[in-house]
Amino acid sequence: MERITTRAAMQAHAMQARCAGRTLALVPTMGALHEGHLSLVKLARAQADHVTVSIFVNPTQFGPNEDFDQYPRTLEPDLEALRNTGGVDAVFMPQPNEMYPEVPSTWVRVDHLDAYLCGQKRPGHFLGVTTIVTKLFIACRPDRAVFGLKDAQQFLILRRMTRELGFGIQLVGAPIVREPDGLALSSRNRYLSPAHREQAVVLSRAVREARARMDAGEQRTGVLIEAMRHHLAQAPDARVQYVEVVDTEQLRPLGRLQEGQNALAAMAVFFGETRLIDNTFRWHPAA
Ligand code: AMP
C-alpha cells in the first residue's frame, strides 16, 4: 500500500496502473475511518483492479462556524485499518496546501441542487465538495468512484456533476452501514454523550418508518414527514434541523409521490453540537 502526498505523484502512479491495463477505483474520505468507509473500500475492490483511498479533510467544505479544526484526525489508525483490508493499493493523503496551493479562485459549482436539505443549511458546503472531488478525480484518474448513500445529497450532486462535465467516471453509491441499534456510522458519532448516543437511534427509526410507509404505497409526503417527526420527538434532546421528502433529480420538496417516482426522505438532527444525518431512498441509486 503506497502512501502518496502530491498530486503529481498520484497522477503518475495512476497513469502507470492504467498503462498496465488495470481499472481504477477511488474512495474519497476525510479519514477517521469506520466500518462505513471500509464497506466502500470493499465495494471498490470488487469493481476494480486498483483501489485508491484518499484521506483529506477539505477546508473549503466547512463553514466558518463548523468543526474543521475539531474534525477528528486519526491518520495512523486509519492507515492501519486500510492496510488490514488487504484491498488498498494507494492512499492519497495530501496536505491542504497541496490541494489549494493558492487562495482558490477556481470553483466547480452545481446550480440549484444545493438549495434544499443540507445545502440550504450549510451555504457553500457543496461548492467545496464538488471542487475538491473534481481535484481528486484529476489527481487520481479513476474509472469508478465510490460514495456512501449516507450523504445522499452529496451523491446526487456529484452524480450530476460527473455526468455534465463528462468525466467518464462511474459513480457507485454504497448502502448505509449502521450500528446494531440502527444508528448510521459517522465519524462524528464519537462526539455524542452516552445519553445522546442512546437517543440518536430515533433517526434510523424515523427513516425505517418512512421507508416502510413508502413501500406500502403512502404517497402523501406530509404524512411521511409527520411520521418521521413523531419518532424524532421521542428523543428529548433532539433539535430537528430539517425533515424532507424530495425528488432525486432537482432535490425539490414533493407534495405527493407519483406512481413509480424516485424520492429521497432525509433529515438532519442536532444533539448538542453534533449534527447527524440519515435518509432513505424510494429507489436504489446503485450507479
Ligand atoms: P467522510 O469521511 O465522512 O467524508 O465520508 C467518506 C465517504 O464515506 C462518503 O462517501 C460517505 O458517504 C461515506 N460514509 C460515511 N459514513 C457511512 C456509512 N455509515 N455507511 C456508508 N458510507 C458511509
Side-chain angles (χ1 to χ4, degrees), residues 28-30 34 36-37 40 71 147-148 150-151 154 175-177 185:
T29 81
M30 298 205 300
H34 51 62
H37 298 111
L40 269 48
Y71 197 83
F147 293 90
K150 159 113 185 316
D151 296 278
Q154 168 173 283
I176 300 175
V177 176
L185 296 189

Side-chain angles (χ1 to χ4, degrees), residues 202-258:
V202 294
L203 280 88
S204 58
R205 288 190 184 142
V207 295
R208 207 173 337 126
E209 167 122 18
R211 181 59 186 266
R213 289 194 184 218
M214 287 194 285
D215 287 350
E218 179 58 72
Q219 295 183 311
R220 296 164 298 173
T221 58
V223 171
L224 295 169
I225 290 170
E226 192 52 45
M228 288 188 277
R229 283 190 174 273
H230 176 76
H231 279 283
L232 299 178
Q234 308 305 307
D237 299 325
R239 281 183 295 121
V240 178
Q241 193 181 41
Y242 70 78
V243 182
E244 300 269 21
V245 180
V246 300
D247 78 276
T248 54
E249 277 300 321
Q250 302 297 327
L251 302 182
R252 286 203 198 105
L254 290 167
R256 201 181 170 86
L257 303 181
Q258 303 305 319

